Each structure stands twice: as C-alpha cells, then as structure tokens.
Amino acid sequence: MSIVQVWDSIEEFGGAVDDLQSAVAAGWAVDEDRGQTLLKAANDLYDRLDGHLQRADFLTQELPLGTTPAAQVYKPYLATIATDPHQGLIVALKELQRKTADIRTSIEKSMAAYDAAEQNSRQGINKANRA
C-alpha cells in the first residue's frame, strides 16, 4: 500500500467519523452492549496505532542500501516517506489515531443519549402508572 493510498483511506475514515458525529448530533443513540463493542474496536485500533507510533523511530533511519549512486539517492528519500511533516506515514498514523479518539468520544455521547432516553421513557411509564 502506498502512502497515497494510506492517506486516501484515512480521509475515507475521517468521512465516516464525520458521519458518525453528525448522526450523534442528530440524536443517534446506541445501547450499552453495542456501544461497548464499538468502543472495544475503537480502543483496540487506538492502542495498535499507539504501539506502531512508539516504534516508528526506526522509520526515520536511512536503510543500509549500500554505496551505489542509486542507493545514495534512495536512502534519504525513503526515510522522508515516513517523516515528511505534511504527508508522511508517521503524520498519517497520528491523524488516524486522532480520528479514532473522535470516534470513541462520539460513541460515548451516543451511549449517554441512549441512557438519557431510557430514563425519560421509564419516568414517563412510571408517571402513567401512578395516574
């Protein structure tokens, strides 16, 4: 997978995050069990990305490609693929991790909305039973 494909995938993921945030703002709610399942998936992804980012320093090193003229050209270039501050792999992984954190927040808000709706429904039923 090329870095361009990685960035395209992250942009698609970001669109899904935006859609989820819009749905939550519009009142989408999820119950505790399903919410916990979604949170587990988001937490797993976040943790995996964190692990990769903690080990990403090796990506900044030049590869031992030898001393040929072509190797001298490629060695610094290959390291910049990971470290470019605007479109490198490390920046891409950090952006994906940030979007994953946004998903967790949206899921938690959605679970809270579900709980609030459940409590309101219970109160309505209790009032109706007392009347």
Side-chain angles (χ1 to χ4, degrees):
M1 180 178 271
S2 74
I3 191 67
V4 173
Q5 291 170 317
V6 169
W7 273 106
D8 288 346
S9 296
I10 290 171
E11 286 178 9
E12 289 175 19
F13 188 76
V17 172
D18 293 342
D19 291 346
L20 177 60
Q21 290 171 331
S22 296
V24 171
W28 178 74
V30 65
D31 67 30
E32 180 74 20
D33 290 340
R34 289 171 183 81
Q36 288 301 327
T37 301
L38 292 170
L39 279 176
K40 182 182 180 327
N43 287 334
D44 287 350
L45 177 57
Y46 189 93
D47 292 344
R48 283 181 150 223
L49 290 167
D50 194 50
H52 289 306
L53 285 167
Q54 288 179 17
R55 294 185 307 273
D57 62 330
F58 81 92
L59 295 172
T60 64
Q61 301 168 7
E62 285 187 358
L63 296 174
L65 298 178
T67 58
T68 66
Q72 297 305 315
V73 171
Y74 279 111
K75 283 194 286 189
Y77 170 73
L78 292 174
T80 63
I81 291 172
T83 61
D84 183 278
H86 303 291
Q87 58 188 9
L89 179 61
I90 293 171
V91 172
L93 293 176
K94 287 179 181 178
E95 178 67 9
L96 182 56
Q97 190 177 41
R98 185 189 66 74
K99 290 181 183 299
T100 303
D102 291 346
I103 280 181
R104 292 189 310 191
T105 301
S106 294
I107 293 166
E108 288 166 351
K109 286 180 182 177
S110 180
M111 289 167 54
Y114 185 91
D115 288 342
E118 281 289 303
Q119 287 178 359
N120 287 339
S121 294
R122 280 190 209 114
Q123 288 174 353
I125 290 170
N126 288 340
K127 284 180 184 178
N129 285 339
R130 283 184 236 144

